Amino acid sequence: MVERRSHAPTIIDVAEQAGVSRATASRALSGYGRTSAATVERVRRAADEIGYRPNELARAMRAGSTGTIGLVVIADFTNAFFDRATKSIVDAARKRGYQVLISNTDEDPEVERGAIETLLEKQVDGLIVFPSATGHSEHLEAGNLGGRPLVLADRRLDDLGVTTVTTDDFTGTREAVRNAVSLGHSRLGFLITAANIAGQTTARPPALISSVRDRADGFAAGAADAGIPPEDQVWHFSEDVPESSEAAVAEMLDLASPPTVIFTSNNDMALSVLKVAGSRGLAIGREVSLVTVDDSPWAAYMVPGITVVARPVEQLGELAVERLVAEIESPGQPVEDIQLPTELIPRASVADLRSPAAGR
């Protein structure tokens, strides 16, 4: 008869049940040392009888590896980019025999710091971080990571000297503006997410995360290439919450000469344009045009389809895992700054104003 226990069964309980020493029980369950087949069978049967489950984390720590990767994602998983990137990282890690522990920081550097500490306490073998800071991040320095390798994804922190996998957002957004101008647009609106402000403003914040900075700089370069003067550019920087971004769109559209096309830095900003335009009965692709960064099923399937600067999200996640696992398993890999190309996908959300009947 199996004795009922008020605590989770331990290796000592297994040994008692099997009538062997603790060391013998441990060897039998772990598969090391010399233990007869009959003893192994008796110990395993005893473990099953009392419901013993080995502490896999402790066993992995003794072996020097837990087979886990810590992933620190900076934004809401409802955001299409982070949803796709996270799935890509999890799938790529699983193919290589690793599990992923995930933390979400909502663009807060202090939350990120705590998430890193927690993942290190869980003995992850390495970290992939979408950094929320715009400048120096002491908690990501090698000396504070206990020897764990680090790969940055989507965003750069140039002072860390670690491998980084990003996308060429500058070139993509520059090309997006050039494309709209080639279709006759000369009054341009830009709605840019900014994590370090409250509300929204027409003044560019002094610090933007690297990917957003690249997009804003690309938009500005495209306007400069086309000779669009500052007075024909309407810039709004918004906290990534609907109340702020929708207010910014409303201010743009309330101008005496509103922009004919609005470029947004991500899908959340684009949704605010769609909501405000829809509430005013303005037809996208006819009365106001829209371009955004990052493709998604809704952007492709809605009518009209939304012109996007598409980024290779799945490839970004795959490469981040590939480089991290290489460093985990063969320390001393060269530091790389990998930048993947983007692609402008034109759709019907940008009106061709060269036609006399088009536009406002």
Side-chain angles (χ1 to χ4, degrees), residues 118-151:
T118 298
L119 290 169
L120 292 177
E121 289 171 358
K122 292 183 181 297
Q123 301 294 319
V124 294
D125 295 334
L127 293 158
I128 296 173
V129 177
F130 292 69
S132 55
T134 58
H136 184 68
S137 295
E138 183 180 356
H139 61 287
L140 294 176
E141 291 179 349
N144 293 322
L145 296 181
R148 276 78 156 199
L150 167 69
V151 169

Side-chain angles (χ1 to χ4, degrees), residues 230-306:
E231 57 267 26
D232 288 327
Q233 300 177 39
V234 183
W235 289 82
H236 280 261
F237 296 84
S238 172
E239 182 182 8
D240 198 0
V241 296
E243 296 80 5
S244 299
S245 53
E246 289 168 18
V249 176
E251 286 189 21
M252 287 189 191
L253 297 179
D254 286 339
L255 293 171
S257 297
T260 59
V261 57
I262 298 176
F263 301 86
T264 65
S265 63
N266 66 20
N267 281 337
D268 290 342
M269 300 292 107
L271 289 171
S272 291
V273 174
L274 293 174
K275 182 176 179 180
V276 175
S279 70
R280 298 181 177 211
L282 300 175
I284 297 294
R286 292 204 304 272
E287 295 165 296
V288 63
S289 294
L290 174 62
V291 180
T292 193
V293 176
D294 283 329
D295 202 8
S296 64
W298 67 261
Y301 298 155
M302 71 177 296
V303 180
I306 306 300

